[in-house]
Amino acid sequence: MKSNKLVALNDYEPPLPVTAMETDKDDDEIDLRQLWQVIRRRKNIVLTLFLLTFLVSLIVTLSMTPIYRAGVTMEIDTDDKRVLDYDVAANDKGSAANSKDFYQTHYELLKSRNLADRVINRAGLESKLRGNDEQLAKPFYAEWLEQFRGEKAQQATPVATESPLADRFLAKVTVTPVKNSKIVGIYYDDPNPETAASIANTIAESYIQMNLERRASSTDYAKRFLDEQLVLTKSKLDASETELVAYAKQSNIIDIDGKNLTEQTLSGLNVALAEAERARIAAESKYEQATSTRMASKVLDSLTVQSLKQALAKLEVDYQSTGSSASAIDDSMVDNLKQELAKLEADYQQKLEIYKADYPLMVQAKQKINEVQAQLNQRAGAVKSGMKQKIDELQAQLKRETSNIRESLKSDYLEAKQKESQLRSELGKQTGGLLDLRDKRISYNSLQREVETNRNVYEGLLQRMKEVGVASGAVTNNISVVDPAITPYTVHTPNKRLNLALGAVLGLFLGVVAAFLLEFLDDRIKNKDDIERLLHIPLLGVAPAIGKRGNGTEYHMMTAEKPTSAVAEAFRSLRTNLLFATRTGAPRLLNVTSAGPGEGKSSSIINLATAFAQAGNRVLLIDADLRKPTLHKRFKLDNSKGFVHFLTGQESLENVTQKTTINNVQVITSGPIPPNPVELLSSEHLRELSTMTETGQLPFDIVMLDAPPVLGLADALILGNHTHATLLITAYSETRKQPLLAAVERLRQARSNILGVVMTKAKSNAGDSSYYNYEYYYSYGHGDGDGDGDGRTPKKSLIGKKA
C-alpha cells in the first residue's frame, strides 16, 4: 500500500457522521433481525424459563386425578302440552312463556340444594362425598410437602364446620344451556365413568319428579284455598247487599237512570258563574288599566285617539323646531320676506365697498332692510301663534276622547260585576240543598262499590273453582329427557395435550419477555446499532474475541503472528476503513483512546499498527498513557527512557524510539511515570510532535498515540486536540452506554476529531448484516492459496463492503 494515502493535518477532513435523522428513521422501524439477535443473546434464560414452566405444567398435569364427565340432554318446554286449556299450573306459568326469567329459573333450580339432597339420598352418595378427600389419590410430592412443613401443619387451626354435602355435590355438576333453543345439558364429573353416567341420569329423573310434585302440590293448594275463599266471599256479598238496601230506604235516595235534577242545575250554574267571573275580570282589568297612568295608553288607544296623537305630535315637533328664529318657519310669505331681506343685505354689502355707512343712500338702504326685518318677525310671530292655538285645540279634543273611552270601560265593568253577583247568589241557593244530598250519597256510593266488588270476587272464585275441580286430576309435565347419559370413554380433565401446550407457550412467552426485559435493563454496548443510535458516529471495525482459540498467542500479536486469523482480518478491514473513512485518506497522527480502562485499547493499537506495517507503511507507536503505560510490557522493551523525556525536552524523538519484533513498527515507550502528566502533555513539545508529523520531518508514515481513558482524566482530551483524529475503542458487552456517551461529549468539547468507533472482544453476533463472520470468510479465502504474502485474502477483505 502506498504511503501517499496518509495525509497531513491541514489536508484532513472529518468523516461524515451518522445523522440523527437516519437513526430516528431506523428507530421508527421494527427490525426483526435485531429482535432475533436479542433472543439469541438471551437464549439461556429463554430456554431455562421454557423448560421450568413446561416441567411444572407436566408435573401438575401428571399429578391430577383423571376425571370423567357424563351428560344428559333435557328439553324444557314453555308450552305445557296441557290436557285442559285452563290447567291451573300451566296458566300460572303462561305469563313467562316468552321470558328469559322462565329458563333462568329452571337453570337455578337445577343447581339448587334441594335437588342435590334428593340425588344424594337416591344414589347413596353421602358416604362417598364425606370421604371424597381421602379417596382421591394424593400427588407423589404430597408426603414430602407434609414432612417439609412439619410442625406448622400440625399447629394449623382445625375447621369448625365442614362444607355441606350439597355444595360438594354441586361443585361437580355443570348446567350448560344451548343458546337459542329449549335444550339444556346437565353434566356430572367423577373419577369413575360409570358413576358419572349414573348420577347424571339420576339428576334428570329427580328434577322431572320434583317438577311434577311442585305442579301437583300447587294444584291441591289452589283447590283448598279457593274453597275457603269462596265461602268467605259469599257471606260478605250477602251482608253488603242487605246493608245497601236498608240505607237507601232510610235516606230516601231514589235515582232515575243514575241522574239527579239538582246536580244538573248546579252544574249549569257553575259553568255560567265561571263565564261571568272571567268576563268581570277582563272588564275590571281594562278599567284599571284605563285609570292607571302607566297602563292607560294601552287601553285608550282607539283609532281616533291614535290619529289625534299623531297630528298633535307633528304640530309639536314643527312648533319646537321653529324656536325663536323665523328662518325655521315654513310659510310662503315668510319665504318671500326672507328672500327680499337676503337680496337687500347683499346689495347693501356691495354698495358698502363704494360708499360709507353714513352716506344718505346707504342710510336709506339700511332703513329698508330694517323694515323688511320687522315685517318678517311680525309674520313669524303670527304663524307661531296659530300653531300654538291649533295644538291647544288638539290636546282638548284628545282629552275628551280618552274620557269617553274610560267611561265606557267603567260601564262594562259594572255590568259584568252585577251579573256575576246575581249568578253567585243563585248558586248559593242551589248549593244548600245539594250538600245534604251529597252527604247521604257518600255512604250510599261506598256501600254500592262494596257490593259490586264482592260480587266480582265471588263470580271469579266460582269460575276458578270449577276449572280447578276439572284439572286437579290431569297433572302435566313440560320437561323431558332427550338423550340419557352414557358411560364416558375419554378423560375430561386433565387435558394433557392442552396443558402441556399451554405450559410450552407460557414458558416460551415468559422466556422471551424475560429476555427483552433483561435486554432493556442491560446498558452495555452490544452491536453497531447501539453505537450509531447513541453517538451518531460510524462503527469502523469489529474485532472478535479469540477465547481459547489463540493457541498461546497473545491477542496484541495475533495480526503479526497469525495473519490468517479472524483478528488479523478484522484489523486489516479496520485499516481499509480508515483509509476510506474520509475523502482525504487516513490521518497521519492518530489518537487512540477509550471511555474506560480494560477495553482492549493497547492491544487494538498494536494490531492496527501491524496491519498498516504489513501494507508497507512505517508506523510509530507512542505510549501516551503516562499514568499506567502498557506498550513496553507488550513488546518487552526498556522503559527507562521514553515519551516523558521528549515532553520535558531532555531527549529527542530519535533517542527514545525503539525497534520492535514487528517489521516497520517502532515504539516510544512512556518512560518513568511522572507526577504531573497533564502539565507535560500541555507543553510545547507535544505541539512540536504535531508540527513534525505535518511537515514530514519524521521518518514515519503514520504516528499512533496510545492515550489513557477519557473519563476521569484530561490526558486524552489534550492529546485529541493536538492530533489529526481520534479513534474510540469500546468493548463488546462491557462498555456501558452512559459512560461512553459522556466520553464522546468530553472529546467533542475538547474539539477532538472523532473519526469513528472500534468494537473489541466481539462475539459472533456482535455485528449485523454489514459485517462478515471473519472466521468463516477468511477460512474460505485461505483455502484458495492465493494470498499476497501477508496472510490476506485477495480482493476478499471488507474494504469494498465498508468503503
Side-chain angles (χ1 to χ4, degrees), residues 576-593:
T576 304
N577 291 339
L578 287 175
L579 291 174
F580 293 98
T582 65
R583 291 187 293 270
T584 54
R588 296 189 62 182
L589 186 57
L590 181 63
N591 175 37
V592 181
T593 183

Side-chain angles (χ1 to χ4, degrees), residues 24-321:
D24 294 340
K25 182 178 180 180
D26 294 339
D27 289 343
D28 294 338
E29 300 177 357
I30 298 177
D31 193 346
L32 296 180
R33 290 174 298 179
Q34 291 183 1
L35 301 180
W36 176 244
Q37 292 294 340
V38 172
I39 296 175
R40 288 185 59 190
R41 283 194 295 270
R42 306 288 180 178
K43 60 180 178 296
N44 291 334
I45 187 66
V46 174
L47 292 176
T48 300
L49 289 177
F50 171 77
L51 293 176
L52 284 176
T53 307
F54 183 79
L55 183 60
V56 169
S57 63
L58 177 62
I59 294 174
V60 172
T61 301
L62 294 178
S63 63
M64 296 174 64
T65 303
I67 301 296
Y68 294 86
R69 169 171 287 188
V72 58
T73 304
M74 300 178 63
E75 178 185 4
I76 301 177
D77 198 348
T78 54
D79 297 330
D80 288 328
K81 302 175 183 178
R82 293 167 293 177
V83 178
L84 301 174
D85 291 338
Y86 43 84
D87 189 347
V88 176
N91 289 336
D92 289 341
K93 293 177 171 47
S95 60
N98 296 320
S99 174
K100 294 181 180 179
D101 296 342
F102 174 79
Y103 287 105
Q104 190 63 36
T105 301
H106 279 279
Y107 302 153
E108 295 301 324
L109 288 174
L110 286 169
K111 294 184 288 185
S112 64
R113 290 192 180 93
N114 185 12
L115 178 61
D117 291 335
R118 284 171 174 262
V119 177
I120 291 172
N121 295 330
R122 185 173 178 179
L125 299 177
E126 182 175 355
S127 60
K128 183 177 180 179
L129 292 174
R130 291 189 184 279
N132 185 59
D133 296 336
E134 290 74 10
Q135 293 177 6
L136 293 179
K138 292 184 178 180
F140 66 90
Y141 53 83
E143 295 181 359
W144 178 81
L145 288 178
E146 291 177 357
Q147 295 177 0
F148 178 77
R149 288 183 297 177
E151 297 180 357
K152 293 183 179 180
Q154 298 177 1
Q155 296 175 358
T157 303
V159 180
T161 58
E162 61 180 7
S163 59
L165 296 180
D167 290 346
R168 297 187 183 183
F169 176 80
L170 291 175
K172 301 180 180 183
V173 177
T174 303
V175 178
T176 306
V178 179
K179 190 175 181 181
N180 299 327
S181 71
K182 303 176 183 180
I183 303 300
V184 60
I186 304 173
Y187 303 94
Y188 184 79
D189 300 338
D190 194 85
N192 190 322
E194 291 80 5
T195 303
S198 175
I199 295 177
N201 288 324
T202 303
I203 294 174
E205 295 171 1
S206 299
Y207 185 66
I208 292 174
Q209 184 63 32
M210 186 178 72
N211 185 61
L212 291 174
E213 291 175 0
R214 289 176 57 250
R215 295 169 66 84
S217 61
S218 63
T219 303
D220 294 340
Y221 174 78
K223 186 176 180 181
R224 291 194 302 269
F225 176 78
L226 289 175
D227 286 337
E228 297 173 358
Q229 295 298 319
L230 194 60
V231 174
L232 180 61
T233 305
K234 180 66 169 64
S235 62
K236 287 184 178 180
L237 176 60
D238 295 340
S240 60
E241 288 179 344
T242 302
E243 186 177 0
L244 177 62
V245 172
Y247 184 80
K249 291 179 179 181
Q250 181 182 356
S251 302
N252 295 322
I253 299 176
I254 301 174
D255 289 340
I256 300 175
D257 296 333
K259 297 182 179 179
N260 186 278
L261 183 60
T262 304
E263 291 180 351
Q264 293 180 356
T265 303
L266 189 60
S267 176
L269 288 174
N270 278 328
V271 174
L273 179 61
E275 293 292 337
E277 187 176 1
R278 283 196 294 270
R280 189 266 305 167
I281 292 173
E284 183 179 7
S285 175
K286 290 184 179 180
Y287 178 68
E288 288 179 353
Q289 292 179 4
T291 56
S292 173
T293 304
R294 184 171 60 89
M295 303 294 293
S297 59
K298 294 183 179 180
V299 180
L300 301 178
D301 277 351
S302 63
L303 294 177
T304 305
V305 171
Q306 291 178 1
S307 300
L308 292 174
K309 285 184 177 181
Q310 292 175 359
L312 180 61
K314 185 176 183 305
L315 283 174
E316 288 178 346
V317 170
D318 293 341
Y319 181 78
Q320 293 296 331
S321 63

Side-chain angles (χ1 to χ4, degrees), residues 469-490:
V470 176
S472 60
V475 179
T476 60
N477 183 32
N478 63 326
I479 301 175
S480 60
V481 175
V482 177
D483 289 323
I486 60 175
T487 302
Y489 53 87
T490 58

Side-chain angles (χ1 to χ4, degrees), residues 9 23 44 63 75 236 438 478 566 582 609-610 694 704 723 730 761 767 773-774:
L9 178 63
T23 305
N44 291 334
S63 63
E75 178 185 4
K236 287 184 178 180
R438 285 193 171 182
N478 63 326
T582 65
T610 304
E694 180 182 356
M704 299 183 185
T723 55
T730 62
K761 306 179 184 180
N773 187 316
Y774 295 109

Side-chain angles (χ1 to χ4, degrees), residues 550-568:
N551 296 328
T553 304
E554 296 290 340
Y555 189 86
H556 63 278
M557 298 299 294
M558 289 293 294
T559 305
E561 297 181 3
K562 292 191 175 183
T564 62
S565 64
V567 175

